[in-house]
């Protein structure tokens, strides 16, 4: 997630612990919406100020940062009023769950400045938010999670539907019960999937000790019945991208060599971003698993879809929006224009005004632009495979390529003569490949957007422009020209 370089109010910071290192004589408030790595950047054992968060998030923080004491936390209980005095200003804070991961909160600030809502990371399901929406009226400024604010991400399966896809996939593809099953996903937010697999197949899920400690915070004594840190105790394993990389390499090598083994592991990745990469249409594949490079993909999202975000904004009816991720300005203008009340102009992510002459800021921008919780904080194995395969000049199609669904890009494999170069391909470092991929993706998208803007005319509008009334577009362009 791309975070603003400025506080949302003077001395009030949300998920911005990297700004804590500049000492201040004035009192400051630091909120943590949830415990995902891209939201606690800058938090470490030396942090000595108060942290305002949920009880679960406090437990996650102290599990990782042993030197942060319990007296440094102010616990925010859901749907309760909390009052703070900050440098002579009284602030009322109210928090609500966001359906993103255990302990995640949205934060409502009220005072003489009006009502400001920070959505945190959000999966908005109307039914689950019926009791919350009445508290979110008359919002002056909304900080919005816009991770998937794009028409191509119009709808997602519910998490329950996605989990059922995974369960059915295992039933259909796990033909030999001696074969191992690997699920890429080791972060809070995916535990409901692992729990369901454990219950359905009457087995514990093997996880690493560090992840087991987090699961113990969530499940308490039940964790021991659902999960284990002993690999030999289970055929089901939750693992990170590096482990998936090794498994995928071995699987592809065996397939290329014509080795047919009924004990090939079943590889499953439940995430979101892959379904929109390289021209794929998420709508085509959202309702059933897709096999690619020997990996089964299931669309599973802990962020809101485009239609869910539209409905949330319409319900909250804010006067202004600041986006928490990069997205198309005109789409945000459209969201505000569709509500019933007249709106002030849109305020967009303050990242746009960063001075990029600073190489450290350039690096931070590139690294954060494509970070994604759904990828467990790292590029997934299939993303890395595709990136590196495209860079090779010696790719050729092979008859033993893995079969995939219709309307899906054909898979590719290396010819037998290129096995030596394939070994070199698989030796790349994940960290460097990840950073390179993020930088290249960001650069290419910016270039594409510039080309699109130049080619558009009043008589030919893209699908995005089609959803905007002409008055909205004119007002948006006019407002962009106004000095802040």
């Amino acid at each position: 997630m791309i975070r603003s370089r400025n506080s949302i109010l003077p001395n009030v910071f949300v998920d911005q612990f990297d700004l804590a290192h500049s000492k201040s004589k004035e009192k400051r408030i630091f909120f943590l919406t949830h415990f995902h790595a891209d939201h606690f950047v800058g938090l470490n054992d030396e942090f000595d100020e108060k942290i305002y968060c949920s009880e679960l998030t406090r437990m996650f923080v102290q599990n990782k940062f042993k030197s942060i004491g319990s007296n440094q936390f102010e616990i925010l209980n859901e749907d309760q009023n909390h009052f703070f005095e900050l440098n002579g200003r009284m602030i009322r804070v109210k928090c609500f769950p966001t359906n993103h991961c255990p302990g995640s909160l949205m934060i409502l600030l009220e005072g003489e400045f009006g009502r400001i809502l920070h959505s945190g990371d959000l999966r908005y399901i109307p039914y689950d938010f019926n009791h919350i929406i009445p508290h979110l009226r008359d919002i002056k400024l909304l900080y919005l999670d816009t991770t998937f604010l794009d028409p191509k991400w119009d709808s997602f399966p519910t998490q329950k539907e996605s989990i059922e896809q995974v369960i059915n996939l295992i039933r259909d593809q796990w033909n030999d019960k001696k074969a191992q099953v690997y699920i890429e996903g080791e972060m809070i937010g995916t535990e409901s999937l692992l729990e369901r697999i454990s219950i359905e197949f009457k087995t514990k899920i093997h996880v690493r000790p560090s992840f087991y400690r987090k699961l113990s915070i969530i499940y308490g004594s039940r964790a021991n019945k659902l999960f284990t840190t002993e690999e030999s105790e289970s055929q089901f394993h939750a693992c990170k991208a590096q482990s998936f990389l090794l498994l995928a390499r071995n699987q592809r090598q065996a397939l290329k060599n014509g080795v047919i083994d009924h004990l090939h592991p079943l590889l499953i990745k439940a995430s979101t971003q892959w379904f929109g990469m390289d021209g794929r249409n998420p709508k085509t594949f959202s309702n059933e698993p897709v096999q690619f490079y020997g990996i089964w993909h299931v669309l599973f999202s802990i962020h809101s879809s485009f239609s869910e975000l539209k409905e949330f904004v319409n319900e909250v009816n804010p006067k202004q929006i600041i986006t928490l991720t990069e997205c198309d300005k005109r789409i945000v203008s459209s969201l505000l224009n569709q509500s019933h009340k007249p709106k002030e102009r849109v305020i967009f992510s303050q990242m746009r005004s960063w001075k990029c002459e600073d190489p450290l800021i350039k690096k931070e921008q590139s690294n954060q632009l494509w970070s994604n919780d759904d990828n467990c904080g790292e590029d997934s194995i299939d993303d890395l495979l595709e990136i590196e395969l495209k860079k090779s000049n010696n790719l050729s199609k092979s008859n033993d390529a893995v079969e995939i669904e219709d309307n899906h890009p054909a898979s590719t494999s290396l010819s037998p003569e290129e096995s030596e170069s394939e070994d070199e391909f698989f030796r790349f470092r994940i960290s460097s490949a990840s950073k390179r991929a993020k930088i290249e993706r960001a650069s290419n998208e910016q270039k594409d957007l510039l080309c699109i803007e130049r080619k558009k005319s009043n008589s030919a509008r893209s699908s995005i422009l089609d959803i905007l009334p002409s008055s909205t577009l004119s007002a948006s362009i006019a407002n962009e020209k106004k000095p802040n």
Side-chain angles (χ1 to χ4, degrees):
M1 172 170 288
I2 297 168
R3 294 165 293 109
S4 167
R5 299 294 292 180
N6 299 321
S7 59
I8 68 172
L9 284 171
N11 298 310
V12 176
F13 302 90
V14 179
D15 300 340
Q16 297 169 305
F17 296 93
D18 51 336
L19 302 182
H21 304 296
S22 56
K23 295 297 181 180
S24 172
K25 294 181 181 180
E26 295 185 322
K27 181 180 177 180
R28 300 186 294 184
I29 294 180
F30 289 88
F31 291 98
L32 178 56
T33 59
H34 64 286
F35 195 72
H36 279 160
D38 55 331
H39 290 260
F40 60 80
V41 174
L43 187 61
N44 53 44
D45 283 299
E46 285 71 46
F47 188 80
D48 59 0
E49 301 199 45
K50 287 278 188 181
I51 301 174
Y52 296 77
C53 62
S54 67
E55 175 64 15
L56 271 179
T57 299
R58 176 196 68 79
M59 297 171 73
F60 291 137
V61 171
Q62 290 193 288
N63 173 65
K64 183 175 180 63
F65 303 109
K66 308 299 184 185
S67 297
I68 299 181
S70 297
N71 62 338
Q72 289 181 240
F73 292 89
E74 289 288 345
I75 302 306
L76 301 174
N77 297 313
E78 295 177 4
D79 204 19
Q80 290 185 11
N81 289 318
H82 304 267
F83 295 90
F84 305 102
E85 188 277 326
L86 181 63
N87 304 319
R89 170 185 286 180
M90 186 59 67
I91 300 175
R92 182 170 73 172
V93 178
K94 207 167 188 176
C95 298
F96 306 94
T98 66
N99 196 32
H100 178 68
C101 71
S104 62
L105 296 175
M106 64 174 69
I107 299 170
L108 175 63
L109 305 174
E110 299 179 81
E112 59 185 19
F113 46 82
R115 289 163 59 86
I116 297 177
L117 178 64
H118 193 293
S119 74
D121 280 358
L122 170 70
R123 179 70 199 268
Y124 177 69
I125 305 297
Y127 178 81
D128 295 335
F129 284 76
N130 281 343
H131 67 292
I132 296 175
I133 289 298
H135 298 278
L136 306 181
R137 305 298 187 191
D138 301 319
I139 299 299
K140 180 179 180 181
L141 178 60
L142 170 64
Y143 284 78
L144 181 64
D145 169 20
T146 49
T147 303
F148 294 110
L149 188 68
D150 187 306
K152 75 176 183 180
W153 301 108
D154 184 60
S155 64
F156 294 150
T158 65
Q159 291 184 12
K160 182 178 180 180
E161 291 170 340
S162 296
I163 291 173
E164 286 303 311
Q165 287 187 41
V166 174
I167 297 299
N168 292 332
L169 171 64
I170 296 174
R171 288 197 190 113
D172 294 340
Q173 298 297 323
W174 193 36
N175 298 319
D176 193 305
K177 298 305 183 281
K178 294 181 181 179
Q180 305 295 306
V181 180
Y182 293 89
I183 303 100
E184 185 194 348
E186 190 183 274
M187 69 165 188
I188 56 174
T190 61
E191 70 287 332
S192 58
L193 169 61
L194 301 178
E195 177 187 9
R196 177 65 197 286
I197 293 174
S198 174
I199 295 172
E200 184 68 27
F201 296 97
K202 297 178 174 57
T203 181
K204 293 182 179 182
I205 309 297
H206 166 237
V207 298
R208 293 192 310 155
S210 59
F211 189 37
Y212 184 85
R213 288 192 291 271
K214 295 177 184 176
L215 293 169
S216 296
I217 292 173
I218 298 170
Y219 290 100
S221 60
R222 279 192 69 216
N224 187 49
K225 299 178 181 179
L226 299 170
F227 310 101
T228 178
T229 58
E230 296 296 329
E231 185 175 0
S232 60
E233 290 185 9
S234 179
Q235 293 170 257
F236 289 78
H237 314 271
C239 52
K240 300 190 74 172
Q242 293 97 323
S243 302
F244 240 60
L245 177 62
L246 296 176
L247 291 165
R249 174 194 176 178
N250 294 337
Q251 185 122 313
R252 290 187 68 248
Q253 185 72 39
L255 291 171
K256 187 189 73 172
N257 294 336
V259 176
I260 305 300
D261 186 349
H262 65 285
L263 290 181
H264 277 317
L266 177 60
L267 308 182
I268 301 172
K269 176 175 171 58
S271 68
T272 312
Q273 291 280 19
W274 180 87
F275 287 85
M277 294 175 60
D278 297 325
R280 300 187 190 98
N281 183 355
K283 299 176 185 178
T284 304
F285 305 110
S286 63
N287 295 319
E288 59 184 11
V290 179
Q291 189 184 42
F292 198 66
Y293 288 127
I295 299 172
W296 284 95
H297 298 265
V298 174
L299 202 161
F300 178 92
S301 182
I302 54 179
H303 291 271
S304 301
S305 68
F306 180 64
S307 60
E308 289 165 351
L309 286 172
K310 287 196 297 183
E311 187 166 353
F312 178 72
V313 170
N314 189 57
E315 289 287 350
V316 173
N317 194 28
K319 294 181 178 179
Q320 300 176 340
I321 291 177
I322 291 182
T323 64
L324 294 175
T325 61
E326 284 290 285
C327 61
D328 195 302
K329 294 181 180 182
R330 295 156 298 176
I331 299 178
V332 185
S333 296
S334 169
L335 295 183
L336 287 176
N337 191 68
Q338 288 173 9
S339 63
H340 303 294
K341 299 179 181 179
K343 295 294 187 299
E344 301 176 20
R345 70 185 183 91
V346 182
I347 298 179
F348 296 95
S349 174
Q350 297 176 20
M351 178 193 167
R352 295 180 181 276
S353 63
W354 291 6
K355 295 183 178 179
C356 294
E357 290 79 4
D358 185 341
L360 293 178
I361 292 181
K362 277 187 179 180
K363 181 178 180 181
E364 182 180 0
Q365 283 180 285
S366 300
N367 288 346
Q368 290 180 354
L369 184 55
W370 291 95
S371 63
N372 174 32
D373 290 339
D374 291 341
N375 287 339
C376 306
E378 308 198 28
D379 286 282
S380 63
I381 169 58
D382 46 275
D383 298 339
L384 295 173
L385 285 172
E386 290 182 71
I387 292 166
E388 293 300 319
L389 284 172
K390 287 180 179 178
K391 290 179 182 177
S392 173
N393 294 323
N394 299 317
L395 287 177
S396 64
K397 293 184 179 179
S398 175
N399 293 331
D400 59 354
V402 179
E403 293 184 1
I404 55 175
E405 299 287 335
D406 292 339
N407 301 322
H408 196 277
S411 61
T412 58
S413 63
L414 296 173
S415 62
E417 294 78 16
E418 298 166 74
S419 59
E420 184 175 350
S421 62
E422 184 190 33
D423 288 338
E424 291 301 318
F425 151 61
F426 279 106
R427 291 191 188 112
F428 70 92
R429 294 185 58 177
I430 289 181
S431 59
S432 60
S434 171
K435 292 179 182 178
R436 183 169 63 250
K438 291 174 183 177
I439 294 171
E440 290 178 358
R441 289 174 183 169
S443 176
N444 290 338
E445 176 152 324
Q446 290 170 353
K447 290 178 182 177
D448 291 343
L449 287 174
L450 287 173
C451 291
I452 291 172
E453 292 295 337
R454 289 170 182 166
K455 291 180 180 179
K456 285 175 182 173
S457 65
N458 293 331
S459 59
R461 296 179 180 274
S462 69
S463 59
I464 292 178
L465 287 177
D466 287 336
I467 69 173
L468 296 172
S470 58
S471 58
T472 302
L473 180 61
S474 301
S476 176
I477 295 174
N479 286 325
E480 289 181 41
K481 295 180 179 179
K482 293 180 181 179
N484 291 330

